[in-house]
Amino acid sequence: MTLLAYQFALDPTPAQERGLRSHAGAARVAFNWGLARVKAVMDQRVAEATYGITGEDLTPSISWSLYSLRKDWNAVKDTVAPWWAECSKEAFNTGLDALARALKNWADSRKGKRKGRPVAFPRFKSKHKARPSIRFTTGAIRCQTRHAILPRIGRVKLHEDATGLVADVESGRSRVLSATARYERGRWFVSFTVDTEVSRPAPSDPGAVVGVDLGIKTLAVLSDGTEIPNPRHLSTALGKVRRLSRTASRRQGPYDPGTRRRQAPSNRWRRAAAALGKAQGRVADVRKDSIHKLTTDIARTYGTVVIEDLHVAGMVKNRRLARHVADASFAQIRRQLEYKTEWRGGRLIVVDRWFPSSKTCSACGAVKAKLALSERTYVCTQCGLALDRDVNAARNLAALGETMVAGSGPETLTGRGADQKTGLARQVAVKRQPGTATAGQTGTVPSQDRTAA
Ligand SMILES: [Zn+2]
C-alpha cells in the first residue's frame, strides 16, 4: 500500500466558493474554541497553584485528544456555533484535528520527544491570515475526469484533467481516502489522498550508479555529463518576483521600519502582496514541474543514486533570491528521490555535506584546499585534469556510491560506518524505511501536480 496525494486546481462557482469559505471558517471556529478552552484550563490551574492548591483540588486538566475535543465540542456546539448544521461535521473535525496535532507537537517538542526546531504553543487562527482549508474523510468524495465531488459542496469543476487518477480508481488499483480543499495564492486547490497498488517497473539499468550534483545555474548535473538546465521560464518568473517585492516594500506594510512597530497595512500593500504571492507561486510551480521530471527520469534509469546532503535549514537563510529558490528545491529533490527510488526498488545514497565533492579530483583523488565558487572548471594541479566543476563533483559522488555498493550489501548501507573502506570521512547513507510515508510527504504524478507544499 502506498499513499499518494494528487493535487488539482479548482474552478468553483461563486456559490461553491462561498461554501468552501464557510466550511474553512467553521474549521477555524472549532480550532479557536478548543484552543481557548485548553488555555483557560491551563491558566486556571497555574493560578490555583499560586494559591497553594495542589493535587485533586486543582481544576482537572482536560484531554487534548481529537476524540475528547470532538466530544466536548458536540456538547457545546449549539451554544458556541448555533449555525453548525449549515456545515459538514468534517469542517469542525478539520479544526479540532489540527488543534490536537498542534498541541501534541508542542508537548512532544517540550519533552524532547520531537526532532527539529522547537514547536511553539498553538496560536489562535486569524480570519485574515490563516490559510483556509477543509479536509473531507467521509461521505461522497470522488474524483471525475473534470470534476471533484465533495460532500456538501457538490460537483466542483477541476481546472486540470484527472484522467490518470480516474483510470486508476476505476480499475480498482487506487482508492480515494480523503480530499482536502485549500485556498492558496488566490486560488482553491483540492488534494486527494489515494491508497494505490500501482507498481512501477524497476530501473532500466539496475546496476548503474549515478552521481547528481544540484546547482543554481543548472538544476542538476549528472556524473555522465548530462546537464539538466533550469526550467525555461524560471528567470522571467524570478524577475517578476523581484520587481513585485520592491513594489510591496515601498508601500505601507504590516511593519513600520521607522518606529519598529506593527501597523495596519494599506490596501495598496495588500494588493501588491497578493500579486507577489501569486508570482512566487508561479516560480514554485515552474520549478516543481521540472523537479518531478528530473527525479522521475533518474529513478527510472539508475539503480543507485548518490546526492549530497545540503544543510537546507541553514542555507535558506541566504538572502539571494535564486539561491533561496534553489535551496528550497534541494529539499524537494531529495524527498522525491527518496520515495521514487524506493518505489522502483532502487537505492538513494545521501552523502554527508562535509564530503569534499567539489574540491576532490575525480581522476586522481587529490583534494584542493580551496576552490572559489567562481571557478567553473576544475583544474587538477596533480594530474592535469580539466573538467566542468559540477560534472567533477557529480563524478566524485558516483565514485563514492560505487565503492559503497561494491564494498557492502544494501542493508549495511543504511548507517554510518559503511564508509570504512573508502577513506573518505563521515558520509552517511540514508535509506527510507518502508511504511514511513504519510500523505503529506508523498508525491504526485508530475503533470497533475500544481502546488508547492
Ligand atoms: Zn587529479
Side-chain angles (χ1 to χ4, degrees):
M1 168 180 135
T2 316
L3 291 184
L4 287 180
Y6 286 81
Q7 284 203 64
F8 305 100
L10 288 173
D11 285 330
T13 64
Q16 288 170 337
E17 186 152 12
R18 278 196 299 279
L20 289 167
R21 279 207 183 279
S22 73
H23 274 76
R28 197 186 68 243
V29 166
F31 181 98
N32 286 344
W33 166 83
L35 181 56
R37 186 176 138 77
V38 166
K39 268 188 136 156
V41 172
M42 284 171 85
D43 292 348
Q44 178 69 23
R45 284 168 63 89
V46 169
E48 286 171 0
T50 61
Y51 293 123
I53 302 173
T54 52
E56 286 187 4
D57 295 333
L58 282 168
T59 301
S61 59
I62 54 170
S63 162
W64 294 348
S65 72
L66 174 59
Y67 174 80
S68 314
L69 287 169
R70 203 156 47 192
K71 205 170 131 209
D72 295 350
W73 167 260
N74 283 329
V76 300
K77 65 184 178 190
D78 283 326
T79 17
V80 177
W83 42 266
W84 63 265
E86 289 167 26
C87 288
S88 160
K89 67 177 178 4
E90 301 267 18
F92 306 104
N93 196 53
T94 301
L96 297 174
D97 183 47
L99 176 64
R101 283 166 198 266
L103 288 167
K104 184 174 186 303
N105 288 345
W106 170 75
D108 285 354
S109 170
R110 226 169 65 129
K111 288 182 215 146
K113 282 201 284 182
R114 193 173 194 278
K115 280 186 201 164
R117 54 179 73 177
V119 176
F121 192 76
R123 291 165 60 164
F124 290 105
K125 286 197 190 295
S126 130
K127 186 173 184 176
H128 300 290
K129 282 187 203 147
R131 179 175 293 171
S133 157
I134 154 96
R135 180 161 176 252
F136 297 97
T137 54
T138 56
I141 307 163
R142 271 210 311 283
C143 183
Q144 299 175 339
T145 319
R146 293 304 309 226
H147 293 90
I149 314 253
L150 301 173
R152 291 289 183 106
I153 308 294
R155 193 158 174 263
V156 188
K157 209 160 163 254
L158 294 181
H159 190 69
E160 295 151 285
D161 185 290
T163 308
L165 172 58
V166 170
D168 283 350
V169 169
E170 278 175 359
S171 68
R173 287 178 299 174
S174 295
R175 200 161 55 93
V176 173
L177 300 178
S178 68
T180 302
R182 88 166 53 78
Y183 186 76
E184 241 172 25
R185 299 186 249 124
R187 149 153 253 168
W188 281 93
F189 292 89
V190 68
S191 161
F192 291 102
T193 302
V194 174
D195 176 6
T196 183
E197 287 166 11
V198 178
S199 63
R200 289 161 191 81
S204 57
D205 196 350
V209 178
V210 71
V212 183
D213 184 71
L214 304 172
I216 303 164
K217 285 186 146 176
T218 54
L219 185 58
V221 173
L222 308 188
S223 48
D224 62 11
T226 315
E227 200 171 279
I228 295 100
N230 270 315
R232 264 197 312 150
H233 304 298
L234 184 69
S235 56
T236 323
L238 279 173
K240 200 168 175 192
V241 167
R242 262 184 224 112
R243 187 165 52 74
L244 286 167
S245 71
R246 278 198 299 272
T247 307
S249 70
R250 279 195 301 270
R251 298 184 177 175
Q252 184 184 316
Y255 173 77
D256 182 354
T259 60
R260 298 186 184 178
R261 295 249 175 92
R262 293 187 65 78
Q263 63 184 1
S266 71
N267 281 329
R268 294 177 76 240
W269 179 86
R270 281 186 208 277
R271 276 200 302 276
L276 176 60
K278 217 172 169 181
Q280 284 167 335
R282 167 89 184 134
V283 168
D285 286 350
V286 162
R287 192 90 181 161
K288 197 163 182 184
D289 280 351
S290 58
I291 286 175
H292 266 298
K293 186 166 179 313
L294 168 75
T295 54
T296 300
D297 285 351
I298 291 175
R300 218 179 244 166
T301 313
Y302 303 95
T304 303
V305 184
V306 190
I307 58 167
E308 221 166 346
D309 181 17
L310 294 147
H311 188 229
V312 170
M315 287 175 81
V316 169
K317 284 181 191 138
N318 190 306
R319 292 168 63 108
R320 276 185 54 211
L321 190 57
R323 176 87 244 179
H324 181 95
V325 171
D327 290 345
S329 311
F330 289 154
Q332 253 178 35
I333 291 174
R334 175 178 169 169
R335 191 176 58 79
Q336 290 177 12
L337 282 175
E338 274 171 4
Y339 66 75
K340 288 184 184 177
T341 49
E342 189 186 308
W343 280 348
R344 292 172 182 273
R347 164 168 48 202
L348 177 72
I349 297 173
V350 181
V351 177
D352 191 288
R353 67 179 188 277
W354 303 116
F355 171 62
S357 64
S358 301
K359 291 177 188 163
T360 307
C361 172
S362 59
C364 71
V367 181
K368 287 190 183 214
K370 266 190 184 167
L371 183 72
L373 263 176
S374 56
E375 290 176 53
R376 298 310 306 164
T377 304
Y378 184 96
V379 180
C380 181
T381 48
Q382 306 285 317
C383 72
L385 171 86
L387 186 64
D388 176 83
R389 173 202 181 97
D390 299 332
V391 176
N392 181 59
R395 282 195 188 172
N396 283 324
L397 292 173
L400 182 59
E402 301 264 12
T403 330
M404 292 172 84
V405 171
S408 52
E411 260 51 64
T412 55
L413 276 172
T414 59
R416 281 168 196 269
D419 56 319
Q420 282 163 2
K421 283 176 212 158
T422 67
L424 298 163
R426 306 207 334 135
Q427 62 269 39
V428 182
V430 173
K431 184 171 172 246
R432 192 199 190 91
Q433 296 304 312
T436 56
T438 62
Q441 294 172 338
T442 49
T444 59
V445 168
S447 61
Q448 296 184 329
D449 192 279
R450 290 284 305 160
T451 49

